[in-house]
Amino acid sequence: MSDLSLDFPGGDGRAAPPRSNGEFVFNAPWESRIFGVTISLHRAGLFEWDEFRRLLIEEIGEWESSGQDPSSWSYYHCWQEALERLLVEKRLLSAQEFAAHCDALARRPAGHDH
């Protein structure tokens, strides 16, 4: 993943993923999965990185202005919201298809992680 530094100029901008000692930090398996899916879709040419980054910055801004408890902050929740919006905006997934996938995932037993 050495070329990822090109995708995150400066490495410490508002939309840059959390890192520790230069390594990406994921607090749950789903975070690394959605990160990988996003990078793969970008590398497949389905969207420009700046398109995703713009939406991620918007999602972070919306969360910051929402007045939510700071303890509920999740960088990758904003990442997920941005990716979902991008998939619908780019018509890679319809809102109905997305809702159907979410419903199917929500019906899985608690603790099911994939």
Side-chain angles (χ1 to χ4, degrees):
M1 287 204 241
S2 61
D3 64 336
L4 284 178
S5 61
L6 298 174
D7 293 328
F8 305 105
D12 59 355
R14 191 173 189 196
R19 295 179 193 224
S20 177
N21 293 325
E23 299 292 326
F24 295 109
V25 175
F26 304 104
N27 293 315
W30 72 267
E31 294 177 347
S32 63
R33 287 188 204 120
I34 198 162
F35 179 88
V37 165
T38 306
I39 298 299
S40 295
L41 292 173
H42 164 64
R43 287 183 174 168
L46 297 177
F47 59 86
E48 296 297 322
W49 190 252
D50 283 345
E51 295 175 287
F52 174 73
R53 184 171 32 201
R54 175 185 54 82
L55 293 174
L56 178 58
I57 290 170
E58 286 177 13
E59 288 295 332
I60 291 171
E62 287 176 21
W63 187 90
E64 289 174 341
S65 64
S66 70
Q68 293 187 49
D69 181 346
S71 67
S72 69
W73 165 248
S74 168
Y75 175 84
Y76 283 104
H77 179 74
C78 291
W79 182 290
Q80 175 189 350
E81 294 289 330
L83 180 59
E84 291 171 1
R85 284 178 53 198
L86 183 62
L87 293 176
V88 171
E89 284 181 18
K90 301 288 284 184
R91 298 179 185 209
L92 298 170
L93 189 66
S94 73
Q96 292 79 19
E97 289 171 320
F98 181 76
H101 287 294
C102 289
D103 286 344
L105 292 172
R107 285 186 296 235
R108 290 182 173 181
H112 188 89
D113 191 33
H114 57 278

